[in-house]
Amino acid sequence: MNEIYKLTLTEVVEKLKSRQISATEMISAALARIEVTEPNLKACLTILGDQALSAARKLDQDGPDPTRPLWGVPVTVKDVFCTKGIRTTAASRYLENYIPAYDAQVVIKLRQAGAVIVAKTNLDEFAMGSSTEFSAFGPTRNPWNLTKVPGGSSGGAAASVVAFQTPGALGTDTGGSIRQPATLCGCVGLKPTYGRVSRYGIVAYGSSLDQAGPLARRVRDCASLLSVIAGYDDRDATSSLHQTDDYTTAQPVTLRGFKLGLPQELWNIKLDPDIEDALKNALKILEETGVELRSVNLPHLKYSVAAYYILATAEASTNLARYDGVRYGHRSNNPQDLTELYMASRSEALGPEVRRRILLGTFALSAGYYDTYYKKAAQVRRLIRDDYYQALTDCDLLITPVSSLLAWDFGSFIQDPLTLYQLDLMTLPVNLAGLPALALPVTLGKTSGLPVGLQLIGRPFDEINIISAGLALEELFPPLR
Amino acid sequence: MPIDFKTTLRTAELACLNLKSGLSPEEAPAALARLTKELTDIINYFNILNEINTSEVEPLYSPLLEVAGLRPDEPERRANPEELLSQAPNRLGSFFVVPKII
């Protein structure tokens, strides 16, 4: 079996369990694939070759364990998850040499489940961006066309999965950072309900918005990963006590009579012609299959980008105040006094987009502007959340595009932050509302040959329903890889 | 509202950022002007929120629907202090070293 790296996660699990392949063979195949693809792709910031191989050998010595659902499965994690003894950079010069003393809760859970982390993937610095161009260590490239961005901020994770480096990956999603790169690269990405997955040990960006989730080439593979990482964690005060489902048992829904809501405000937005063509066709296929497509409205949607970027940057300015050159990370040489130590350490090592967002957030929280911007945005957030709840009352799920653009050329928006922010309109309201959402590929654009995807949005903690619908849609729209 | 240079610099000071870092004296004014323009454009865009009357709306700071769970109130040591301190760029024993304050 020469191409075991191409197996889906579910297939890998089966072959490992039945001992058709060993954990060492599987991990070696993933590492070999990484070695072949990395020179062009640049999806990984740290590759854990020896460590992963030694973990695999240990697994093989002990033999397959039915209580460990990801036994011997190679995975990557975005480089915002703290890994004990392994550098965790958040793609920032500030944390270039930072070695955490502890693992993120999801990393602990992955390892307990028998998964082997083979690499830590690239992202926009501190997950702030939607193209990975803001990584301090250089951008990741889109596997379908190396001149295009992979999306972001979990661009490394999406590109890695699509390039067959591993069958599954973990990313984080603050405003679309799992779903948008999954779509631009042509894989499945799941953003769970806020609170479903522990944020303990994740480098924080927007604490009321951040949520970890899986990326994979199949819906069922995302379900397997979610089953492992979901659940209450007493070290994360925002972790939910809501009962977790066994997502691996999900079955495709019956599409006849299934009600999908189409938010008009999102479907009326001008899309790239390739996307428009592909999604219109997809909706036609869904309708022919018996899906009930219903128009719904999100009256406050047009305010969501403004509300989001006030709240996210305010939270970022607070969270990133910890980078002061004292306890860990970059420290400026020879500062004259304590203030200069803070200012120089931060200014030397934080990148332009991170500094811009810190400034925006600091402004929104500063005296005289707090009520006008921060409080106002939080009030609008409630209206947006209520809109989504209302829209979901009359249908099973909402269905929307993920991105109005296909993967774009490097440099297209690097000087135009506001336009880049506005491109997040399809995804970020879901984070404001804290809802779960799944992005899945539909087809390749007719003229561009680049992936196009759809987004399913559900009620809080209704991941099982999204996954079940995703499984049904996957039968209609076969995976791209 | 337009953001002027003074506001940009004041905000940077609050955020502990030196906007001239890494720039030559010749480059700094243009960079500051560009940043001020970007911030103005973005903050003007934020003002779209003024279209909505929110006087009766409770702010929503977190989307979580429930009260946070509490863990048992028992002391525990989860990380090794030496490992945590090992990341300090400059330390003396169990202290972080910073430039003289007084």
Side-chain angles (χ1 to χ4, degrees), chain A residues 1-232:
Chain A
M1 209 182 313
N2 295 324
E3 294 192 330
I4 54 173
Y5 63 83
K6 284 192 174 174
L7 297 171
T8 67
L9 188 143
T10 307
E11 291 166 344
V12 169
V13 167
E14 278 309 309
K15 291 207 184 292
L16 286 164
K17 198 157 70 176
S18 59
R19 305 202 95 157
Q20 289 178 63
I21 51 175
S22 68
T24 308
E25 280 174 292
M26 193 60 233
I27 300 308
S28 302
L31 289 169
R33 181 66 183 166
I34 288 172
E35 199 178 327
V36 169
T37 50
E38 265 308 278
N40 282 330
L41 206 62
K42 301 188 184 307
C44 304
L45 292 177
T46 303
I47 299 165
L48 304 170
D50 292 344
Q51 196 170 345
L53 276 173
S54 124
R57 282 191 211 106
K58 172 88 173 55
L59 288 172
D60 280 330
Q61 274 168 18
D62 297 344
D65 181 345
T67 65
R68 303 175 82 185
L70 297 178
W71 188 92
V73 175
V75 295
T76 64
V77 296
K78 185 177 178 177
D79 205 17
V80 283
F81 294 105
C82 283
T83 40
K84 186 175 179 174
I86 300 163
R87 74 171 191 151
T88 299
T89 68
S92 178
R93 289 276 170 219
Y94 190 95
L95 295 177
E96 190 170 6
N97 300 307
Y98 170 57
I99 314 268
Y102 59 95
D103 282 324
Q105 175 69 0
V106 294
V107 168
I108 294 169
K109 284 193 160 193
L110 279 177
R111 293 219 178 98
Q112 281 172 347
V116 178
I117 298 170
V118 293
K120 301 195 72 184
T121 54
N122 197 13
L123 63 146
D124 292 286
E125 185 177 358
F126 288 107
M128 297 181 192
S130 27
S131 65
T132 75
E133 288 169 291
F134 291 119
S135 166
F137 308 112
T140 297
R141 296 179 181 147
N142 192 304
W144 295 92
N145 180 335
L146 297 174
T147 68
K148 307 284 184 188
V149 301
S153 65
S154 310
S160 170
V161 159
V162 171
F164 299 110
Q165 290 186 344
T166 61
L170 288 193
T172 57
D173 190 316
T174 305
S177 283
I178 288 174
R179 293 159 287 155
Q180 183 258 24
T183 296
L184 266 48
C185 287
C187 66
V188 184
L190 174 60
K191 178 231 169 275
T193 308
Y194 181 80
R196 178 70 300 167
V197 177
S198 169
R199 294 186 300 108
Y200 176 80
I202 298 176
V203 177
Y205 161 22
S207 299
S208 81
L209 303 153
D210 294 340
Q211 187 61 190
L215 298 96
R217 297 189 296 275
R218 298 292 181 276
V219 174
R220 191 165 291 292
D221 298 347
C222 279
S224 299
L225 286 164
L226 182 63
S227 278
V228 166
I229 61 171
Y232 174 67

Side-chain angles (χ1 to χ4, degrees), chain A residues 92 94 125-126 345-352 354-355 358, chain B residues 17:
Chain A
S92 178
Y94 190 95
E125 185 177 358
F126 288 107
S345 300
R346 291 164 66 76
S347 307
E348 287 165 7
L350 298 177
V354 172
R355 279 182 283 166
I358 291 174
Chain B
L17 288 171

Side-chain angles (χ1 to χ4, degrees), chain B residues 52-68:
Chain B
I52 330 169
N53 179 357
T54 52
S55 55
E56 302 295 316
V57 183
E58 266 300 298
L60 179 69
Y61 294 111
S62 173
L64 202 68
L65 308 169
E66 56 198 88
V67 179

Side-chain angles (χ1 to χ4, degrees), chain A residues 84 97-99 101 194 208 232 234-235 237-238 240-241 302-303 305-306 309-310 325-329 331 337-338 341 343 346-347 356 358-360 362-363 369 373-374 376 378-382 385 389 418 422 434, chain B residues 1 3 7 11-12 14-19 21 35 38-39 41-43 45-49 51-52 54 57-66 68-71 78 83-84 87-90 96-99 101:
Chain A
K84 186 175 179 174
N97 300 307
Y98 170 57
I99 314 268
Y194 181 80
S208 81
Y232 174 67
D234 67 8
R235 287 177 294 184
T238 61
S240 174
L241 293 155
K302 75 173 199 177
Y303 305 110
V305 173
Y309 273 96
I310 292 169
V326 175
R327 288 155 299 164
Y328 53 91
R331 178 182 177 115
D337 56 35
L338 189 60
L341 169 67
M343 299 209 49
R346 291 164 66 76
S347 307
R356 183 157 42 229
I358 291 174
L359 286 172
L360 284 167
T362 304
F363 176 81
Y369 299 113
Y373 292 103
Y374 183 64
K376 179 83 181 183
Q379 289 170 313
V380 174
R381 179 182 196 173
R382 181 176 296 279
R385 190 195 69 171
Y389 280 17
L418 183 56
Q422 288 166 331
Chain B
M1 60 163 277
I3 305 287
T7 312
T11 308
L14 287 172
C16 271
L17 288 171
N18 175 2
L19 300 179
S21 176
L35 181 65
E38 282 170 2
L39 296 179
D41 289 349
I42 295 167
I43 288 161
Y45 176 74
F46 287 168
N47 289 331
I48 190 179
L49 299 186
E51 289 177 10
I52 330 169
T54 52
V57 183
E58 266 300 298
L60 179 69
Y61 294 111
S62 173
L64 202 68
L65 308 169
E66 56 198 88
L70 297 174
R71 62 171 178 255
R78 275 173 162 153
E83 277 180 316
L84 291 169
Q87 294 299 302
N90 193 350
F96 299 110
V97 177
V98 295
I101 297 169

Side-chain angles (χ1 to χ4, degrees), chain A residues 252-388:
Chain A
V253 296
T254 305
L255 287 174
R256 184 156 299 282
F258 196 77
K259 296 190 240 353
L260 287 177
L262 278 77
Q264 291 308 291
E265 293 80 0
L266 284 170
W267 284 99
N268 288 337
I269 287 167
K270 191 174 176 319
L271 302 171
D272 179 281
D274 255 9
I275 300 177
E276 184 163 356
D277 187 48
L279 294 190
K280 268 189 181 161
N281 192 45
L283 291 182
K284 192 164 152 260
I285 292 171
L286 287 171
E287 209 157 22
E288 285 166 2
T289 315
V291 171
E292 237 183 82
L293 297 177
R294 295 184 169 189
S295 284
V296 295
N297 288 103
L298 302 168
H300 300 94
L301 184 91
K302 75 173 199 177
Y303 305 110
S304 55
V305 173
Y308 174 87
Y309 273 96
I310 292 169
L311 295 170
T313 59
E315 292 182 18
S317 85
T318 309
N319 273 325
L320 274 67
R322 73 191 68 182
Y323 303 116
D324 57 8
V326 175
R327 288 155 299 164
Y328 53 91
H330 176 76
R331 178 182 177 115
S332 183
N333 286 325
N334 305 317
Q336 297 303 304
D337 56 35
L338 189 60
T339 306
E340 196 188 320
L341 169 67
Y342 295 154
M343 299 209 49
S345 300
R346 291 164 66 76
S347 307
E348 287 165 7
L350 298 177
E353 181 59 23
V354 172
R355 279 182 283 166
R356 183 157 42 229
R357 293 195 192 196
I358 291 174
L359 286 172
L360 284 167
T362 304
F363 176 81
L365 291 172
S366 60
Y369 299 113
Y370 183 93
D371 281 0
T372 315
Y373 292 103
Y374 183 64
K375 185 179 171 197
K376 179 83 181 183
Q379 289 170 313
V380 174
R381 179 182 196 173
R382 181 176 296 279
L383 298 174
I384 292 165
R385 190 195 69 171
D386 291 350
D387 283 354
Y388 273 83

